[in-house]
Amino acid sequence: PTPPPPSPPTTRAPTKPGATNSPTTSPTTAAPTTASPTTKGPTTAPTARGVTAAPTTGAPTATPTAAPTTAPPTLAPSTVAPTFSAVLDVSTTVGFSGLDIAEFNNATFNANFRLAYIAALAKEADVLITRVRIVSISAGSVSVGTVVTFDSLEAGGDMVLLEQKANSFVQKLETAPAEVFKAAPSNVINFESYGNISAVFTAKTDLQSRTGSPTSAPPTPA
């Protein structure tokens, strides 16, 4: 027997279409902006240029520039020879009968006495105070050992004058020693208040040559 015909395929129900989205609104097209033309102001007329002044020529300087000064040549320092002179010393011991040696324990009295004593002898001898030296002060009636130096340089190099100055000083000490100290200021040291003043011993050396220190060389110019 003939087989029965095949059954027809099953027809599926149509698929329900999905929901259709509303179309997107088209963007608004902005109207083109028409720029107003800028109205330029009137062109300013060019400024007229003034007349260019002629350049000023400065007057020449009245005083010309001084020529450079040429420094003098530097002199070589010279070697200075030592100083030569003749000296003599007068040695004496002056006594003050009324002066107590204990007075010299007072530093102020000691200093004042020495200064006044040296000044009085230097004035009488007509020498610098640096030429008078106290070599001793001893007790008893106080005796002051002294050396006075006479230098020919202070007599202008005159040896005769040097001898005369020394002899005159020795004579004064031997004959009137108190007179030597009268010129001293009494408000500092009153030598007359110290009793009898005497030169108990006087001696004078012969002239002797002495070489002094040379004078320093002059400074070298910069």
Side-chain angles (χ1 to χ4, degrees), residues 27 47 52 54-55 79 105 116 145 148 152 156 167 194:
T47 304
T52 303
T79 303
N105 293 331
V148 180
S152 63
N167 291 338
Y194 301 137

Side-chain angles (χ1 to χ4, degrees), residues 76-84 211-219:
S78 59
T79 303
V80 182
T83 303
F84 295 97
T211 303
S213 301
T215 305
S216 58

Side-chain angles (χ1 to χ4, degrees), residues 49-188:
R49 296 183 180 180
V51 179
T52 303
T56 303
T57 303
T61 305
T63 305
T65 304
T69 304
T70 303
T74 302
L75 300 178
S78 59
T79 303
V80 182
T83 303
F84 295 97
S85 65
V87 298
L88 61 83
D89 292 334
V90 172
S91 300
T92 185
T93 302
V94 178
F96 299 89
S97 63
L99 182 57
D100 187 348
I101 192 66
E103 295 277 5
F104 292 91
N105 293 331
N106 183 306
T108 301
F109 174 85
N110 185 28
N112 289 339
F113 180 92
R114 289 172 180 271
L115 289 174
Y117 180 91
I118 288 174
L121 287 185
K123 182 176 180 179
E124 182 63 35
D126 192 22
V127 298
L128 299 174
I129 60 173
T130 54
R131 304 296 190 192
V132 180
R133 306 188 309 277
I134 294 177
V135 294
S136 66
I137 297 178
S138 56
S141 55
V142 171
S143 299
V144 183
T146 314
V147 175
V148 180
T149 300
F150 293 81
D151 195 317
S152 63
L153 292 178
E154 295 170 24
D158 189 335
M159 302 302 179
V160 175
L161 178 58
L162 180 68
E163 286 277 6
Q164 289 176 348
K165 287 176 63 175
N167 291 338
S168 176
F169 178 68
V170 169
Q171 183 180 11
K172 189 67 170 283
L173 282 177
E174 289 179 337
T175 60
E179 295 294 322
V180 174
F181 297 96
K182 282 189 174 181
S186 59
N187 62 326
V188 179

